[in-house]
Amino acid sequence: MSEALQLPSLDECVFSEFEINFPFGPSAGTINGTNEELLLHRALDSLRSPADLTKTGSFTWNHQEGNEAKYGRCYYHNPITGETGNCMGMPNIGYRRGTELHPRLQNVADQLGKLLIPSISVGKGAIAVEALPKMAYAFAKAGAKIIEINYNCPNIIREDGSREPVMGYEPDILFGVHDKVFEEVGSEAIIVINLPPYIDQYRHLIPAVVKGLHQARGKIAVNVSNTIGDRQVFTESGEPALDVPGNLGGLSGPATVDMARNQLDIFRHALPRRIGIISCNGVFNGQEVFHRVHNQGADLTAGATVFFENETRGLSYGETAFRIAKEYAHVQNSVLEEVPT
Ligand SMILES: Cc1cc2nc3c(=O)[nH]c(=O)nc-3n(C[C@H](O)[C@H](O)[C@H](O)COP(=O)(O)O)c2cc1C
């Protein structure tokens, strides 16, 4: 279905076709799970809130129960260390059902001028290069204008307890799959490539990833980043928090702010303006949204911990977005007041 590429001009970001007033919203994993009613409720609540961004999924090739049913506690936030550990393993209704629900949500997003981004990931029991292009095509057909491809869930546990490799740390494979996705979707939709954090033993991969992004076909953006894989998070009393093999999970939360800011700096400086950037990890208040967008050049930001933690305190996703939007507006106004007239 490829057609003449209508790439935006080089200095124009792919997201420039949207009017963005509050560049924040729920990230992948916050509007997911196997409870359809809850998924729809959270998605509509977010779309009708000040959040200009709403991500659903990650939806996988097959319906997935996730790790909680099998292992026990798979999410924990330690307010003292600021660390969030999760090993949810993408519990979801499967991409086919995801595409059936999408048009209704897309209609609401279009009416309100919001960015709705379904996230897809291969999951268990499928092959990425075959599955992901088909899944992306199905969401594009369901009306999605932006589709995020999650190449790096670090929490897919095999029967023997080991983990599936993270494709984001195999640039050749990642960009090979991306090109197949482009051949299916063309420039119908913006494709967001969700990247893992390139830190520690993976830092050396950055040049190859940047080169691949410069050469990648289509209207693309990057999500910087998914959680830091293979980390142990502890409770306030020092116990391992996650009940999965090795107590290992993905690390995020306020404790990852410095890492996230550093990753954003690296990719913003290395990528052309046309490639949009969504910044994640440690975005939990309006000041951080403002800093990532106006001081560091992200186009959008997204959060998970802040929505989950506020929900346990009785605040809906919409209320959380409203609070953070107020903080963001406050910072914006105070900065504008300092500008000499
Ligand atoms: C409980 C939980 C579940 C997540 N599930 C997904 C997912 O299904 N797909 C994905 O791409 N990222 C997932 N993420 C990663 C977030 O979307 C995002 O990249 C980041 O880690 C959020 O950081 P924060 O918790 O500091 O806000 C998940 C994060 C958490 C905390």
Side-chain angles (χ1 to χ4, degrees):
M1 194 181 62
S2 57
E3 37 187 83
L5 291 182
Q6 292 126 5
L7 284 176
S9 65
L10 276 181
D11 58 3
E12 202 184 25
C13 165
V14 286
F15 293 124
S16 60
E17 63 187 89
F18 298 92
E19 190 192 334
I20 298 169
N21 300 307
F22 177 47
F24 175 72
S27 69
T30 56
I31 301 178
N32 208 8
T34 55
N35 178 334
E36 262 185 43
E37 227 178 290
L38 181 58
L39 184 154
L40 287 171
H41 170 76
R42 284 172 167 167
L44 292 167
D45 186 26
S46 173
L47 287 168
R48 292 172 180 144
S49 80
D52 273 325
L53 165 77
T54 296
K55 293 187 185 181
T56 55
S58 299
F59 300 107
T60 52
W61 181 258
N62 296 309
H63 169 103
Q64 287 190 178
E65 285 301 326
N67 294 324
E68 218 154 34
K70 183 171 181 182
Y71 295 104
R73 186 164 59 184
C74 284
Y75 170 87
Y76 194 86
H77 176 67
N78 182 327
I80 297 173
T81 61
E83 294 184 336
T84 299
N86 101 81
C87 193
M88 303 294 288
M90 300 182 292
N92 76 95
I93 57 178
Y95 89 99
R96 292 177 189 81
R97 187 64 188 138
T99 57
E100 288 167 5
L101 298 180
H102 187 82
R104 175 181 166 195
L105 298 175
Q106 189 67 54
N107 284 342
V108 174
D110 293 347
Q111 280 159 21
L112 299 170
K114 298 292 179 80
L115 288 76
L116 174 63
I117 309 182
S119 164
I120 57 175
S121 196
V122 63
K124 288 185 175 178
I127 297 165
V129 73
E130 291 166 10
L132 288 171
K134 290 193 181 100
M135 296 160 75
Y137 177 78
F139 270 100
K141 278 287 131 217
K145 295 175 175 161
I146 314 171
I147 301 164
E148 179 167 293
I149 318 261
N150 173 19
Y151 290 102
N152 25 259
C153 176
N155 302 318
I156 302 187
I157 305 174
R158 296 184 179 125
E159 290 311 317
D160 65 2
S162 65
R163 306 285 167 117
E164 290 282 339
V166 167
M167 232 185 302
Y169 293 139
E170 317 258 1
D172 293 346
I173 297 177
L174 186 158
F175 290 111
V177 175
H178 170 75
D179 212 53
K180 294 281 181 220
V181 168
F182 172 74
E183 278 165 15
E184 281 297 324
V185 174
S187 53
E188 273 288 309
I190 296 169
I191 301 167
V192 180
I193 298 172
N194 186 359
L195 299 171
Y198 293 99
I199 57 174
D200 305 336
Q201 72 270 39
Y202 301 111
R203 191 170 276 279
H204 73 282
L205 294 170
I206 292 175
V209 173
V210 167
K211 184 170 172 232
L213 290 167
H214 274 264
Q215 296 167 344
R217 294 194 290 168
K219 295 195 287 186
I220 65 165
V222 288
N223 184 74
V224 179
S225 332
N226 206 317
T227 57
I228 304 171
D230 295 338
R231 295 299 170 96
Q232 277 193 329
V233 168
F234 297 89
T235 65
E236 291 84 313
S237 54
E239 307 298 316
L242 302 177
D243 297 337
V244 289
N247 310 113
L248 297 172
L251 174 65
S252 67
T256 60
V257 164
D258 293 344
M259 179 281 293
R261 287 182 177 190
N262 176 261
Q263 293 284 298
L264 173 55
D265 270 344
I266 290 169
F267 284 97
R268 184 69 287 167
H269 288 95
L271 297 177
R273 190 67 200 86
R274 67 178 167 80
I275 297 182
I277 296 188
I278 305 174
S279 178
C280 276
N281 285 319
V283 183
F284 60 102
N285 60 33
Q287 292 77 2
E288 192 61 23
V289 174
F290 186 91
H291 180 78
R292 303 266 178 111
V293 172
H294 298 284
N295 299 341
Q296 292 195 276
D299 299 290
L300 293 156
T301 62
T305 298
V306 67
F307 287 98
F308 286 126
E309 290 307 302
N310 279 358
E311 201 178 53
T312 61
R313 297 188 194 98
L315 283 177
S316 73
Y317 282 23
E319 286 160 338
T320 292
F322 180 74
R323 286 183 173 208
I324 297 181
K326 260 185 23 184
E327 293 165 356
Y328 174 77
H330 182 72
V331 181
Q332 211 170 22
N333 293 339
S334 55
V335 168
L336 290 173
E337 275 156 21
E338 284 160 23
V339 177
T341 50

